[in-house]
Amino acid sequence: MVCHQNSDERDLENPEDSEKSDDTCLLESGAGWSNLWQSILTGQAIPPLIIGCGLHVLAQASGINVIIYYGPKMFTLAGLPNSTAVFVSAGISFAQMCSTLLLSRMVDRVGRKPMSYIGLSFMLLSLCGIACSYWLPPSHLAGWLALVSCFCFRVAFSVSLGPLPYIITAEIFPESIRTPGVSFCLAVKWVANFAIALSWLPLSEVFTLAGTFVLYFAMCVLSIFFLAFYVPETSGKTLGQASQAVWKKLQDTSDMSP
């Protein structure tokens, strides 16, 4: 939705024009969603929607919000005192914020996909450490293993599956459907966030705490394959070139299929 004239100036010049312009803005907004629906029917929006929704869902399925929401509880289950667990969880959140700032300086030079692979590699190692901390009996060793592993996981997430899905999703849609396309992907992301955060405790009862993090490990492995086969590298490309790269990547993937 775009309004080209300042609303205060428009009201002073002609109140009737102001009302008409507001109606035009609403029509443009509705047209955006209409364009998205038409693009879905023609197939144009399917590849970027698969990539955008897939990246956001896989980011949530890595278990990041479980570690954020239930971090203090996880540390106490691993053997750390309650006060220490809360303090440490806050410190890890600060480190995660600093890591995101680091990514903003590196992502254009290194590339979207290489940064994702680097972060996912450390996320896999960290999830192994978290799972092992729950296989061990509650002790200081298990607590410190969980602490260090959660710290590494959240830092690695902050330079990969944390911000990069937002960047890539905003780049891969054609201009005519970019706004509703990105909005739809973000809506799917929050649904996945809710479902995965809600499922942690039931899953931990069925698979044990260690087994649940092994499941998140499998989701990170799936993320690597998804990135490799379906997500184009958009670094150094204009928005138009990035949206075209989606189709080229899809064609290359189809050519590799038996």
Side-chain angles (χ1 to χ4, degrees), residues 13-199:
E13 292 173 4
N14 195 327
E16 293 181 359
D17 288 346
S18 173
E19 184 176 346
K20 291 178 181 178
S21 182
D22 288 341
D23 291 341
T24 302
C25 289
L26 291 173
L27 288 172
E28 289 178 355
S29 177
W33 287 101
S34 177
N35 288 343
L36 179 63
W37 177 244
Q38 292 298 324
S39 297
I40 291 173
L41 294 179
T42 60
Q44 182 187 17
I46 298 300
L49 281 175
I50 290 174
I51 293 171
C53 293
L55 284 173
H56 282 292
V57 170
L58 288 170
Q60 301 306 306
S62 69
I64 179 62
N65 284 307
V66 169
I67 294 175
I68 294 174
Y69 299 156
Y70 300 105
K73 180 63 174 177
M74 288 167 54
F75 295 147
T76 56
L77 290 173
L80 290 178
N82 285 332
S83 57
T84 303
V86 173
F87 177 78
V88 167
S89 185
I92 293 176
S93 296
F94 178 76
Q96 186 176 1
M97 180 184 68
C98 294
S99 301
T100 304
L101 295 176
L102 175 64
L103 173 74
S104 67
R105 301 294 296 261
M106 298 177 60
V107 66
D108 286 324
R109 286 181 294 175
V110 178
R112 277 65 161 147
K113 292 178 69 172
M115 288 299 299
S116 297
Y117 292 138
I118 292 169
L120 278 163
S121 298
F122 284 98
M123 287 167 64
L124 290 171
L125 291 173
S126 302
L127 287 168
C128 286
I130 296 173
C132 289
S133 73
Y134 287 113
W135 273 318
L136 295 171
S139 63
H140 288 296
L141 174 62
W144 280 104
L145 180 59
L147 189 157
V148 172
S149 297
C150 286
F151 175 84
C152 293
F153 182 89
R154 289 180 62 174
V155 168
F157 182 85
S158 296
V159 297
S160 57
L161 288 187
L164 287 175
Y166 292 94
I167 297 173
I168 295 173
T169 300
E171 294 173 330
I172 58 177
F173 282 95
E175 183 178 359
S176 61
I177 58 170
R178 183 169 295 126
T179 299
V182 172
S183 299
F184 183 86
C185 292
L186 293 180
V188 170
K189 175 243 180 174
W190 285 112
V191 171
N193 179 314
F194 175 78
I196 292 166
L198 200 65
S199 68

